[in-house]
Amino acid sequence: MPSLSKEKYIAWMMYSSWRKESSFCPALQKEVSFTLKGWNHLIGSGGARKRMPSDVYRRLKVLPLAKEIIEKSTTIQNNKKKNETNYYVLEAFMPVQEKGLSIYKKIRVILYEDRAKLIKFLSVMPKKAKE
């Protein structure tokens, strides 16, 4: 596994460029913003729950797919309300590089709606294979 700090740096450069613009989500018919809250959630900084380095690494590896999924998804896979916040799940089968091979995996993107009714990115993760 390559250096996690290097992967974080590469991912942060991409993510910070996304923060300067929003992405239109056809499934929600709204713009989606990328915020520091999403970044911090993704890498597990802040809050009581810290992420294992392996979990952070696997999320960062699929982060480049998040924007594409948001911009191409036409269907919401799940919608959940928790503590007055609406959460939306988008999923897509996407090619992921693994051990030099391109393998299709289900990638899940989590979005949330803030109090001002703005949609924001929260997380992305590859779905674990059922064993």
Side-chain angles (χ1 to χ4, degrees):
M1 176 166 63
S3 160
L4 183 57
S5 59
K6 180 181 176 186
E7 291 298 326
K8 276 186 188 178
Y9 175 78
I10 293 167
W12 172 249
M13 296 308 292
M14 177 183 55
Y15 193 88
S16 62
S17 73
W18 292 355
R19 291 181 61 216
K20 297 173 186 164
E21 57 195 51
S22 58
S23 293
F24 184 76
C25 178
L28 295 167
Q29 290 294 299
K30 287 190 169 187
E31 295 290 326
V32 175
S33 300
F34 293 86
T35 64
L36 279 178
K37 180 177 178 177
W39 175 257
N40 290 334
H41 180 85
L42 193 65
I43 63 168
S45 70
R49 182 179 168 185
K50 300 287 184 203
R51 294 200 189 283
M52 297 293 296
S54 60
D55 186 34
V56 173
Y57 181 78
R58 71 186 190 90
R59 288 169 188 263
L60 292 178
K61 289 307 285 181
V62 296
L63 179 61
L65 303 173
K67 190 169 172 56
E68 183 179 353
I69 292 169
I70 290 167
E71 292 174 347
K72 291 184 177 179
S73 289
T74 58
T75 306
I76 299 166
Q77 298 299 321
N78 196 354
N79 178 346
K80 186 175 173 181
K81 189 169 189 165
K82 183 178 176 185
N83 299 331
E84 303 301 316
T85 302
N86 283 316
Y87 293 91
Y88 303 98
V89 175
L90 306 175
E91 291 180 336
F93 279 97
M94 303 289 284
V96 176
Q97 292 298 316
E98 209 171 85
K99 298 178 184 169
L101 300 172
S102 185
I103 300 168
Y104 276 81
K105 286 192 170 194
K106 186 184 283 189
I107 308 299
R108 176 176 280 182
V109 175
I110 312 293
L111 308 173
Y112 73 97
E113 185 174 51
D114 70 7
R115 289 187 175 153
K117 302 293 184 198
L118 299 173
I119 305 296
K120 298 184 178 177
F121 169 82
L122 184 63
S123 193
V124 62
M125 68 208 77
K127 289 284 288 173
K128 292 181 181 173
K130 293 182 180 171
E131 297 176 22

